[in-house]
Amino acid sequence: MKFGGTSVASAERIKHVARLVTETSEPKVIVLSAMAGTTNQLVEIAAELVQRDSDVAKELIDELKEKYLQATRELYPNPESYRAVWERLDETFVFLEDMCKVSNFTLFDEKRILAQGELMSVAMMLQHLEDMGLHACRLPALDYMRTDKNAEPDLTFIELHLRRIMRLCPQDINLFVTEGYICRNAYGDVDNLHRGGSDYTASLVGAALNVDEIQIWTDIDGLHNNDPRVVEETVPVRRLHFEEAAELAYFGAKILHPTCILPAKERNIPVRLLNTMEPDKPGTLISNDTDKDQIKAVAAKDGLAMIKVKSSHNLVSWVFMRRLLQVFEHYQISIDMITSSEVGVSVCVEMWDELPELLADLRKLGDVKVEEHMTIICVVGDMEWENVGFETRVLEALGDIPIRMISYGASDYNLSVLVRESDKRAALVSLSNHLFIRK
């Protein structure tokens, strides 16, 4: 059971999570994020120390400490419990204050600072569970969660060391608590799992222990069939295939990062997305078994540029394609969409600072045109080509909207179109009206 920052954002939320995790007696591992806002504050502290402005950093540390003082006063009315938890939290704030004295602040120091939020969340939860008369065992993430030299999780190390730590816990313990997001790298330095961090921890732990189910608890009732920030009357999708969930996550569904479900998929462990505030709702179940013959959901990814390269006539097609892809490899740029003809290729990539250098290299291959401020609209479902009519329904819904690119066939679960960012809202609303809302 993984609980995100909003789920442990206050004393009341921490109490609520504690009640949730103790409702049933089956063994479970609790993965905790930092309290909402903590990691952002730690990022700001580190940024000030990079700039060698220790005075501003100290002010930010004092603000953060006041936030935790307020939360712990509410959470631990018992003075002994309050003192016990602050023995641990003081370690963090003394460490942060000591960082202000470091003359040569490095990236390694920044990673150590960013790890503090999860460490404090776990300390607070363990003390609260103890106050409830419940015994839980801490699984220190920095002792088992490790990445390899390619910054990918070292699954063999994780499983071996996690199981070793669990064997050291008392045999009658069936509740375990660990930190999300944080890890050590191949060289033993404190690091983190980057995007989807705490979700990734939950999936890696679940895969290592071969659990029955991995639960991701957030502040929304599962993954919705469209963006609720843009479209009214969205509803949760109750069942998704792993591939469908990954496509939606990659193309803009903020509730989940595509990387984090891979370990669960490989071990065939279902992942359930649930709402901490409405725990009785069924949420979204992601597995290898899903509803067929349906369009499930729509997502959108903004901040994109379309680059069209028309080949010089002195390059044969296969040489042109190879050299074009080598340019993107050189800049380590992922291509979100690609379409091709005999003499030209259009690609869609994220806009970033080095775009002018990339375009200069592409112009050595042919004529280049660029359109910025584009959005990919991704329609996900059972899109196998035998399902006649799904593609037509999608394109009919977008009949009044200019479409710059279409991608279909690379995945059995996704049809994507590229539109201007200014047309995004109209496209999402029209797709909901045509695909989901029954007249």
Side-chain angles (χ1 to χ4, degrees), residues 243-309:
E243 297 288 351
E244 293 170 335
E247 295 281 3
L248 288 169
Y250 182 80
F251 286 106
K254 302 299 183 185
I255 192 174
L256 198 64
H257 190 275
T259 304
C260 76
I261 58 175
L262 286 177
K265 176 188 173 186
E266 290 169 357
R267 295 289 177 94
N268 195 26
I269 299 171
V271 176
R272 196 181 297 273
L273 309 179
L274 295 162
N275 186 350
T276 312
M277 297 301 101
E278 297 182 282
D280 295 331
K281 295 288 183 67
T284 299
L285 181 66
I286 303 169
S287 68
N288 283 315
D289 181 22
T290 186
D291 300 319
K292 304 287 286 183
D293 303 321
Q294 290 184 19
I295 294 178
K296 304 287 184 63
V298 178
K301 184 176 182 179
D302 300 323
L304 304 171
M306 192 212 74
I307 304 171
K308 182 177 182 180
V309 186

Side-chain angles (χ1 to χ4, degrees), residues 55-82:
D55 291 337
V56 175
K58 288 176 182 175
E59 291 176 8
L60 293 171
I61 292 169
D62 289 341
E63 288 178 12
L64 187 62
K65 188 171 185 177
E66 183 56 39
K67 171 181 177 175
Y68 278 83
L69 283 167
Q70 180 177 339
T72 50
R73 287 189 197 106
E74 295 178 31
L75 192 55
Y76 311 105
N78 184 317
E80 290 185 9
S81 298
Y82 182 81

Side-chain angles (χ1 to χ4, degrees), residues 132-147:
M132 295 171 66
L134 301 166
H135 299 293
C137 187
R138 181 188 171 212
L139 307 176
L142 296 180
D143 290 352
Y144 71 85
M145 188 61 66
R146 191 175 80 167
T147 55

Side-chain angles (χ1 to χ4, degrees), residues 384-393:
E384 292 187 8
W385 66 277
E386 293 95 340
N387 292 332
V388 178
F390 281 2
E391 308 86 350
T392 303
R393 291 172 61 193

